[in-house]
Amino acid sequence: MAFPCRSRHVASRSVAVLVACVALLSSCFTGERPTVGGCAFAETTGRVEIDSVLDRLDCVSPELFTADYTVLTRLGDFTSTAQVVQAPGKRSITINMVRYIYEGASMITCDLSEGTCEGEINEARTSDVLLTSEFYAKAMAARLRVDADRRIGDPVASEITQGGQQALCVDIPVTGGTKRYCALESGALALFDGSDLFIELTGFSATPDNTAFATR
């Protein structure tokens, strides 16, 4: 019987089960992942500790939520606040006074301090703090894949509680130190600790904050 290592449920199992999966089925995470919930996953790394976190970050589930973050941009020692809200058919990502809104085919970037918007996602608006509108999911998945290729030792899986939520983590040893990536079961980022950024979830609610879709 095939062990269902590809399922999202693997990510929520205990670390002991993850380690057992590595030992018994090291080839389980090879090739391409299947499509789950309409999201096509990218190629895996071959390490279950990494792929279990990637499985979450690659495709945030359609559940509704409000996630609050604090971000430290280490270059310049600058602290930011960020919020991600997922509501029916739309998402809002607010980083300091910049708000990105995705609603159906519509995408806008708003400057909340000036009350102005432009009809596209302009990632340059938050480049000064090294964040994009996908910082909480796809951008972290891309970073994790790069660090998986650069690692100089074995990844280490763990579980933590962050912002009152359970999260699955992987520590990746790279030249210069170890990076930590943690994701909630929903797929949203829970914590990232890297050389350039430290991002932590500070609050999470299953209720979307509809005020996050205001444009001023």
Side-chain angles (χ1 to χ4, degrees), residues 145-204:
R145 283 191 169 86
V146 170
D147 286 331
D149 288 338
R150 296 173 55 233
R151 65 184 177 86
I152 57 175
D154 290 333
V156 177
S158 62
E159 294 180 353
I160 65 169
T161 299
Q162 182 68 40
Q165 305 295 306
Q166 292 297 114
L168 184 69
C169 303
V170 62
D171 289 354
I172 308 288
V174 296
T175 301
T178 297
K179 296 186 180 183
R180 169 168 281 196
Y181 295 82
C182 303
L184 304 180
E185 188 171 4
S186 68
L189 181 70
L191 185 142
F192 172 69
D193 190 357
S195 58
D196 57 343
L197 290 170
F198 179 77
I199 306 172
E200 60 178 340
L201 179 75
T202 56
F204 187 90

Side-chain angles (χ1 to χ4, degrees), residues 113-177:
S113 62
E114 296 183 0
T116 59
C117 298
E118 53 189 304
E120 63 179 351
I121 297 300
N122 185 355
E123 304 286 13
R125 290 297 190 96
T126 51
S127 60
D128 59 329
V129 291
L130 307 182
L131 296 176
T132 72
S133 63
E134 296 284 358
F135 81 88
Y136 66 98
K138 291 181 181 179
M140 280 298 139
R143 276 178 171 256
L144 179 49
R145 283 191 169 86
V146 170
D147 286 331
D149 288 338
R150 296 173 55 233
R151 65 184 177 86
I152 57 175
D154 290 333
V156 177
S158 62
E159 294 180 353
I160 65 169
T161 299
Q162 182 68 40
Q165 305 295 306
Q166 292 297 114
L168 184 69
C169 303
V170 62
D171 289 354
I172 308 288
V174 296
T175 301

Side-chain angles (χ1 to χ4, degrees), residues 29-44:
F29 279 87
T30 57
E32 293 189 358
R33 284 141 140 161
T35 297
V36 178
C39 180
F41 293 110
E43 188 175 348
T44 59

Side-chain angles (χ1 to χ4, degrees), residues 11 21-22 37 59-60 63 78-79 88 136 144 158 182:
C21 189
V22 174
C59 186
V60 176
E63 73 179 67
F78 188 80
T79 300
Y136 66 98
L144 179 49
S158 62
C182 303

